[in-house]
Amino acid sequence: MDLHKSLTLGIAKQACLCSRLIAIFKKYILCGLFAAGLTAFTGCDDLFRDTPVDKMSEKDIWKNPMLLDEYVLPWYRNMNSGFSTYVPTTIALVKSASRYYMPWFGDQIVPSKNDYYNAGYGDLLKSNTKEITNWAQVQWSNYYTQIQSVNRLFVNQGEIAEGSQKQRILGEAHFFRAYYYYMLWRQFGGVMLIQEPLDPLNDSRKYPRASYEEMVRAIVDDARAAATVLPLEYDATDEGRITQGAALMLVAKTFQWASSDVFQNQEKTYLGFSDDRSHDMLDSARVAYETLMGLQYYDLIQIAGTDEESIKQEYRNIFLTKNSKESILEVQHSDDGNYDTGFGHKLDRDAAAPHFTGTTAAYTPTQNHVDEYGMRTGFTYDAQHPYVGRDYRFYANILYDGSTYNGHVMDIHYTREGNNEIPGEDLTAYGTSTTAAVTRTGYYMGKFVNEKQQINNDEAYASSQNYIIWRYAEVLLDYAEVMFRLGNTEAARTQVNAIRRRAHMDELPSLTWEQLVNERRVELAFEETSYWDFFRWGIAEEKLNGTSNPLKAMKIVKRGETTTYSISNMNRFPQRVRVFQKMQYYLPIPWDEIRYHGIDQNPDWVEV
């Protein structure tokens, strides 16, 4: 099976489905059912009668091995859009259907294209209640769509022929039901746990919001069921499928999330535990991570080089190697990078500096993040030479003024001539487009991008890097955090130092919470988990607000032999462009669901 291709679903058919179903179902959970796998085989008019399209009935799916694999594909395709982002800047009606790179909402990396701030991204960043509500509804519908599809397969599992394929698909079904409930839980708190197909036309059942206890149990039970039947690895034809390791990681992540202090002693059980369960959840997380590590299947990719250049290149290659021994779960992007008909993406094009014909500058690291890279032994920070002697990972992750990328010396400074400051090549917009962007932060991204990727006028073929959801370095850092919070700082230090040794950084003789967090921020830079850390640590209000944590940029000006490095806030009025309200810890549940099921809305949200 080729996981690089998602189930084909025409735009016209989607529009037909949406217009009819939204009018009839008012965007209830069950609307999503018809957008799941079966929509590939069902025309719009056939949603309300039993006549199959192309002589195919639903029963044919359960009996046909090829159709079964097709049925599963949307579970994979919808778990994460990966690097396949979509930020429409001209059509207001599709703002809520945007696909964002979630670290854009953090403080390590931001888009520099002004148009993005006038689109849905800017609305979310400014805490626009209406846009958050619309975007949340899209996420909700997508996750429940896949859960409905999984539940339908479970009901019909008796129709599937016994054998290895059935075992594998049932394992995948258990994993994805757990995964999509985990995604809902992180964003909405306790939600309705629906374990069977639900048809609102013929079924009037209502569901309450589940407690945190019930959410943890449901997710863990399904993930463990998946782990018992899924293999550790597949052959090349099925590479990228869910494995036992991914299922165990989901168990561990669930317990780790539930252990956070912010979810203890809550009045509403769908927002947390009524008492303090942090120690129990931490201990369960410890066991789960030790089980995963005990497989002795995953490992860190070691770096053989010892000089700055070789360490930089080998570290970058970790993120360009698909499904490596460090990888636990990845979004499988198309190997040919086809963006129009496959599941490629435009990461390299969107991240490129003007020298490489880049016009989007969608991935520009902040000075906030640059400041997180410490110094190597023997070096002291020098504000006049700020890029000398830094953590080796800095050189891999960041393209800074004077660094070399693909044979080009990055030109991200101004040259002072009289009263004028002449921008360097990589601060000068490429081409004639009036919307072409350059970095607003003074940096471009080095991590994830591929120096060998050709960027030309054919946008159909672009980048092919997989998007890493979980990797073994995150396992070690998660485990270190769990052990630190359990009081075993030595065990935590051991894991942190394993990460540092791989990057040829000196080991820490002791470990503080601040050092652990910083190591996590550096090693997992620009990865999605760094965004969600703010939520489970309860610091999103501080870190995602422009007033308390303004994003910073570097400006470099050269005049003769003198170079001036100036750090400043990116925005004159940061509170206008970066706002996070306390209620955003949980997204609003769609209001039609609130009315239909008679459940509580998340705190402080009102209908708009």
Short mmCIF file of all heavy atoms in Angstrom, two decimals, residues 314-355:
data_model
loop_
_atom_site.label_atom_id
_atom_site.label_comp_id
_atom_site.label_asym_id
_atom_site.label_seq_id
_atom_site.Cartn_x
_atom_site.Cartn_y
_atom_site.Cartn_z
N GLU A 314 25.41 16.57 9.81
CA GLU A 314 24.86 15.29 10.26
C GLU A 314 23.59 15.49 11.08
O GLU A 314 22.65 14.70 11.00
CB GLU A 314 25.91 14.53 11.06
CG GLU A 314 27.05 13.97 10.21
CD GLU A 314 27.99 13.09 11.02
OE1 GLU A 314 27.50 12.13 11.65
OE2 GLU A 314 29.20 13.39 11.05
N TYR A 315 23.57 16.56 11.87
CA TYR A 315 22.37 16.82 12.66
C TYR A 315 21.20 17.17 11.75
O TYR A 315 20.08 16.71 11.94
CB TYR A 315 22.63 17.95 13.66
CG TYR A 315 21.51 18.14 14.66
CD1 TYR A 315 21.40 17.31 15.78
CD2 TYR A 315 20.56 19.14 14.50
CE1 TYR A 315 20.37 17.47 16.70
CE2 TYR A 315 19.54 19.32 15.42
CZ TYR A 315 19.44 18.48 16.52
OH TYR A 315 18.42 18.64 17.42
N ARG A 316 21.44 17.98 10.73
CA ARG A 316 20.38 18.30 9.77
C ARG A 316 19.84 17.06 9.07
O ARG A 316 18.64 16.93 8.82
CB ARG A 316 20.91 19.28 8.72
CG ARG A 316 20.91 20.72 9.16
CD ARG A 316 21.28 21.64 8.01
NE ARG A 316 21.47 23.01 8.48
CZ ARG A 316 22.13 23.94 7.81
NH1 ARG A 316 22.66 23.65 6.63
NH2 ARG A 316 22.24 25.15 8.31
N ASN A 317 20.74 16.14 8.76
CA ASN A 317 20.33 14.94 8.04
C ASN A 317 19.38 14.06 8.84
O ASN A 317 18.63 13.26 8.26
CB ASN A 317 21.56 14.13 7.62
CG ASN A 317 22.31 14.77 6.46
OD1 ASN A 317 21.77 15.59 5.72
ND2 ASN A 317 23.58 14.42 6.31
N ILE A 318 19.40 14.20 10.16
CA ILE A 318 18.46 13.42 10.99
C ILE A 318 17.03 13.70 10.54
O ILE A 318 16.20 12.79 10.48
CB ILE A 318 18.63 13.79 12.48
CG1 ILE A 318 19.99 13.32 12.99
CG2 ILE A 318 17.49 13.20 13.32
CD1 ILE A 318 20.32 13.82 14.39
N PHE A 319 16.75 14.93 10.18
CA PHE A 319 15.39 15.34 9.86
C PHE A 319 15.07 15.22 8.38
O PHE A 319 13.95 15.51 7.95
CB PHE A 319 15.17 16.77 10.36
CG PHE A 319 15.50 16.92 11.81
CD1 PHE A 319 16.73 17.41 12.21
CD2 PHE A 319 14.61 16.51 12.78
CE1 PHE A 319 17.05 17.52 13.55
CE2 PHE A 319 14.93 16.60 14.13
CZ PHE A 319 16.15 17.10 14.51
N LEU A 320 16.05 14.78 7.60
CA LEU A 320 15.83 14.53 6.18
C LEU A 320 15.76 13.04 5.87
O LEU A 320 15.48 12.66 4.73
CB LEU A 320 16.95 15.18 5.35
CG LEU A 320 17.08 16.70 5.49
CD1 LEU A 320 18.27 17.19 4.67
CD2 LEU A 320 15.82 17.40 5.07
N THR A 321 16.02 12.21 6.87
CA THR A 321 15.99 10.76 6.69
C THR A 321 14.61 10.23 7.07
O THR A 321 14.18 10.35 8.22
CB THR A 321 17.06 10.08 7.58
OG1 THR A 321 18.34 10.65 7.28
CG2 THR A 321 17.08 8.58 7.33
N LYS A 322 13.93 9.66 6.11
CA LYS A 322 12.58 9.18 6.36
C LYS A 322 12.58 7.88 7.14
O LYS A 322 13.34 6.96 6.83
CB LYS A 322 11.83 8.97 5.04
CG LYS A 322 11.55 10.25 4.27
CD LYS A 322 10.58 10.00 3.13
CE LYS A 322 10.17 11.31 2.48
NZ LYS A 322 9.05 11.14 1.53
N ASN A 323 11.72 7.81 8.16
CA ASN A 323 11.48 6.57 8.90
C ASN A 323 12.77 5.94 9.40
O ASN A 323 13.00 4.74 9.24
CB ASN A 323 10.70 5.58 8.03
CG ASN A 323 9.41 6.18 7.48
OD1 ASN A 323 8.59 6.69 8.23
ND2 ASN A 323 9.25 6.15 6.16
N SER A 324 13.60 6.74 10.04
CA SER A 324 14.87 6.27 10.55
C SER A 324 14.66 5.50 11.86
O SER A 324 13.55 5.38 12.36
CB SER A 324 15.80 7.46 10.81
OG SER A 324 15.32 8.20 11.93
N LYS A 325 15.75 5.01 12.42
CA LYS A 325 15.67 4.27 13.68
C LYS A 325 15.26 5.18 14.84
O LYS A 325 14.90 4.70 15.91
CB LYS A 325 17.00 3.59 13.99
CG LYS A 325 18.16 4.55 14.28
CD LYS A 325 19.45 3.80 14.61
CE LYS A 325 20.59 4.75 14.93
NZ LYS A 325 21.83 4.02 15.28
N GLU A 326 15.34 6.49 14.64
CA GLU A 326 14.91 7.43 15.66
C GLU A 326 13.43 7.76 15.54
O GLU A 326 12.83 8.29 16.46
CB GLU A 326 15.74 8.72 15.57
CG GLU A 326 15.53 9.66 16.74
CD GLU A 326 16.59 10.75 16.83
OE1 GLU A 326 17.74 10.50 16.39
OE2 GLU A 326 16.29 11.82 17.37
N SER A 327 12.85 7.43 14.41
CA SER A 327 11.47 7.82 14.14
C SER A 327 10.47 6.84 14.77
O SER A 327 10.62 5.62 14.67
CB SER A 327 11.23 7.86 12.63
OG SER A 327 9.86 7.99 12.34
N ILE A 328 9.44 7.39 15.40
CA ILE A 328 8.36 6.57 15.96
C ILE A 328 7.08 6.75 15.16
O ILE A 328 6.36 5.79 14.90
CB ILE A 328 8.13 6.93 17.45
CG1 ILE A 328 9.38 6.57 18.25
CG2 ILE A 328 6.90 6.21 18.01
CD1 ILE A 328 9.33 7.02 19.70
N LEU A 329 6.80 7.99 14.75
CA LEU A 329 5.61 8.24 13.93
C LEU A 329 5.87 9.47 13.07
O LEU A 329 6.27 10.51 13.57
CB LEU A 329 4.38 8.47 14.82
CG LEU A 329 3.05 8.72 14.09
CD1 LEU A 329 2.66 7.51 13.23
CD2 LEU A 329 1.94 9.02 15.09
N GLU A 330 5.63 9.32 11.77
CA GLU A 330 5.83 10.41 10.83
C GLU A 330 4.64 10.52 9.89
O GLU A 330 4.02 9.52 9.53
CB GLU A 330 7.09 10.19 9.97
CG GLU A 330 8.39 10.13 10.75
CD GLU A 330 9.61 9.98 9.84
OE1 GLU A 330 9.43 9.99 8.59
OE2 GLU A 330 10.72 9.85 10.37
N VAL A 331 4.35 11.75 9.46
CA VAL A 331 3.44 11.95 8.34
C VAL A 331 4.22 11.61 7.08
O VAL A 331 5.29 12.17 6.84
CB VAL A 331 2.95 13.41 8.29
CG1 VAL A 331 2.12 13.65 7.03
CG2 VAL A 331 2.13 13.74 9.52
N GLN A 332 3.69 10.69 6.29
CA GLN A 332 4.40 10.21 5.11
C GLN A 332 4.09 11.09 3.91
O GLN A 332 3.07 10.97 3.26
CB GLN A 332 3.99 8.77 4.82
CG GLN A 332 4.20 7.81 5.98
CD GLN A 332 5.67 7.59 6.29
OE1 GLN A 332 6.46 7.25 5.40
NE2 GLN A 332 6.05 7.77 7.55
N HIS A 333 5.00 12.02 3.63
CA HIS A 333 4.82 12.88 2.47
C HIS A 333 5.34 12.18 1.21
O HIS A 333 6.22 11.32 1.27
CB HIS A 333 5.55 14.20 2.66
CG HIS A 333 4.83 15.15 3.58
ND1 HIS A 333 3.59 15.68 3.27
CD2 HIS A 333 5.16 15.67 4.79
CE1 HIS A 333 3.20 16.48 4.25
NE2 HIS A 333 4.13 16.49 5.19
N SER A 334 4.80 12.55 0.06
CA SER A 334 5.13 11.90 -1.21
C SER A 334 6.62 12.01 -1.51
O SER A 334 7.21 13.08 -1.39
CB SER A 334 4.34 12.53 -2.35
OG SER A 334 2.96 12.43 -2.13
N ASP A 335 7.20 10.90 -1.95
CA ASP A 335 8.62 10.89 -2.27
C ASP A 335 8.95 11.81 -3.44
O ASP A 335 10.06 12.34 -3.52
CB ASP A 335 9.08 9.46 -2.59
CG ASP A 335 9.22 8.61 -1.34
OD1 ASP A 335 9.37 9.18 -0.25
OD2 ASP A 335 9.15 7.37 -1.46
N ASP A 336 8.00 11.96 -4.38
CA ASP A 336 8.29 12.83 -5.52
C ASP A 336 7.98 14.29 -5.22
O ASP A 336 8.20 15.16 -6.07
CB ASP A 336 7.53 12.37 -6.77
CG ASP A 336 6.01 12.46 -6.62
OD1 ASP A 336 5.54 12.96 -5.57
OD2 ASP A 336 5.30 12.04 -7.55
N GLY A 337 7.44 14.57 -4.04
CA GLY A 337 7.15 15.94 -3.66
C GLY A 337 5.99 16.56 -4.39
O GLY A 337 5.74 17.76 -4.24
N ASN A 338 5.24 15.77 -5.16
CA ASN A 338 4.15 16.35 -5.95
C ASN A 338 3.13 17.00 -5.04
O ASN A 338 2.56 16.37 -4.15
CB ASN A 338 3.49 15.27 -6.81
CG ASN A 338 2.52 15.87 -7.80
OD1 ASN A 338 1.46 16.37 -7.44
ND2 ASN A 338 2.88 15.81 -9.07
N TYR A 339 2.88 18.25 -5.28
CA TYR A 339 2.00 19.04 -4.42
C TYR A 339 0.57 19.07 -4.93
O TYR A 339 -0.37 19.25 -4.17
CB TYR A 339 2.55 20.46 -4.31
CG TYR A 339 1.80 21.34 -3.34
CD1 TYR A 339 1.95 21.17 -1.96
CD2 TYR A 339 0.94 22.34 -3.80
CE1 TYR A 339 1.27 21.98 -1.07
CE2 TYR A 339 0.25 23.15 -2.90
CZ TYR A 339 0.42 22.97 -1.54
OH TYR A 339 -0.25 23.76 -0.65
N ASP A 340 0.39 18.89 -6.25
CA ASP A 340 -0.94 18.99 -6.83
C ASP A 340 -1.72 17.69 -6.74
O ASP A 340 -2.90 17.69 -6.38
CB ASP A 340 -0.84 19.42 -8.30
CG ASP A 340 -0.48 20.89 -8.43
OD1 ASP A 340 -0.55 21.61 -7.41
OD2 ASP A 340 -0.11 21.32 -9.54
N THR A 341 -1.09 16.58 -7.08
CA THR A 341 -1.81 15.31 -7.12
C THR A 341 -1.39 14.35 -6.02
O THR A 341 -2.07 13.35 -5.78
CB THR A 341 -1.61 14.62 -8.49
OG1 THR A 341 -0.20 14.36 -8.68
CG2 THR A 341 -2.11 15.50 -9.61
N GLY A 342 -0.29 14.59 -5.38
CA GLY A 342 0.17 13.71 -4.31
C GLY A 342 0.07 14.39 -2.96
O GLY A 342 -0.77 15.25 -2.75
N PHE A 343 0.95 14.02 -2.04
CA PHE A 343 0.95 14.62 -0.71
C PHE A 343 2.35 15.15 -0.42
O PHE A 343 2.96 14.86 0.58
CB PHE A 343 0.51 13.59 0.33
CG PHE A 343 0.22 14.20 1.68
CD1 PHE A 343 -0.39 15.44 1.79
CD2 PHE A 343 0.56 13.54 2.85
CE1 PHE A 343 -0.67 16.01 3.02
CE2 PHE A 343 0.28 14.09 4.09
CZ PHE A 343 -0.33 15.32 4.18
N GLY A 344 2.84 15.92 -1.39
CA GLY A 344 4.08 16.63 -1.17
C GLY A 344 3.79 17.93 -0.43
O GLY A 344 2.69 18.15 0.06
N HIS A 345 4.76 18.81 -0.39
CA HIS A 345 4.56 20.09 0.31
C HIS A 345 5.55 21.10 -0.22
O HIS A 345 6.38 20.78 -1.09
CB HIS A 345 4.72 19.90 1.82
CG HIS A 345 6.00 19.27 2.24
ND1 HIS A 345 7.16 19.98 2.40
CD2 HIS A 345 6.32 17.98 2.51
CE1 HIS A 345 8.14 19.16 2.78
NE2 HIS A 345 7.66 17.94 2.85
N LYS A 346 5.48 22.32 0.28
CA LYS A 346 6.32 23.40 -0.25
C LYS A 346 7.23 23.98 0.83
O LYS A 346 7.53 25.18 0.81
CB LYS A 346 5.42 24.49 -0.83
CG LYS A 346 4.56 24.01 -1.99
CD LYS A 346 3.84 25.17 -2.67
CE LYS A 346 2.80 25.79 -1.77
NZ LYS A 346 2.05 26.87 -2.44
N LEU A 347 7.67 23.14 1.74
CA LEU A 347 8.48 23.63 2.86
C LEU A 347 9.69 24.40 2.36
O LEU A 347 9.95 25.53 2.79
CB LEU A 347 8.92 22.48 3.76
CG LEU A 347 9.92 22.86 4.86
CD1 LEU A 347 9.25 23.76 5.90
CD2 LEU A 347 10.50 21.62 5.52
N ASP A 348 10.49 23.79 1.48
CA ASP A 348 11.72 24.44 1.04
C ASP A 348 11.43 25.74 0.30
O ASP A 348 12.14 26.74 0.48
CB ASP A 348 12.52 23.48 0.16
CG ASP A 348 13.07 22.29 0.94
OD1 ASP A 348 13.97 22.49 1.76
OD2 ASP A 348 12.56 21.18 0.77
N ARG A 349 10.40 25.73 -0.51
CA ARG A 349 10.02 26.94 -1.23
C ARG A 349 9.54 28.03 -0.26
O ARG A 349 9.90 29.19 -0.38
CB ARG A 349 8.91 26.60 -2.24
CG ARG A 349 8.53 27.72 -3.17
CD ARG A 349 7.34 27.30 -4.03
NE ARG A 349 7.59 26.08 -4.77
CZ ARG A 349 8.20 26.02 -5.94
NH1 ARG A 349 8.61 27.13 -6.52
NH2 ARG A 349 8.40 24.85 -6.54
N ASP A 350 8.71 27.63 0.71
CA ASP A 350 8.14 28.60 1.64
C ASP A 350 9.15 29.11 2.66
O ASP A 350 8.95 30.17 3.25
CB ASP A 350 6.94 27.98 2.37
CG ASP A 350 5.73 27.83 1.47
OD1 ASP A 350 5.71 28.45 0.40
OD2 ASP A 350 4.81 27.08 1.85
N ALA A 351 10.21 28.32 2.89
CA ALA A 351 11.23 28.74 3.87
C ALA A 351 12.39 29.47 3.22
O ALA A 351 13.21 30.08 3.93
CB ALA A 351 11.75 27.50 4.61
N ALA A 352 12.48 29.47 1.90
CA ALA A 352 13.66 29.94 1.20
C ALA A 352 13.88 31.44 1.32
O ALA A 352 12.93 32.23 1.33
CB ALA A 352 13.58 29.55 -0.28
N ALA A 353 15.14 31.82 1.39
CA ALA A 353 15.53 33.23 1.37
C ALA A 353 15.47 33.75 -0.07
O ALA A 353 15.44 32.97 -1.03
CB ALA A 353 16.94 33.37 1.93
N PRO A 354 15.46 35.07 -0.26
CA PRO A 354 15.37 35.64 -1.60
C PRO A 354 16.45 35.15 -2.57
O PRO A 354 16.19 35.02 -3.77
CB PRO A 354 15.49 37.15 -1.36
CG PRO A 354 14.90 37.34 0.00
CD PRO A 354 15.34 36.12 0.78
N HIS A 355 17.66 34.89 -2.07
CA HIS A 355 18.71 34.39 -2.97
C HIS A 355 18.27 33.13 -3.68
O HIS A 355 18.66 32.89 -4.84
CB HIS A 355 19.99 34.12 -2.18
CG HIS A 355 21.07 33.47 -3.01
ND1 HIS A 355 21.90 34.18 -3.84
CD2 HIS A 355 21.42 32.15 -3.16
CE1 HIS A 355 22.74 33.35 -4.44
NE2 HIS A 355 22.47 32.11 -4.05
#
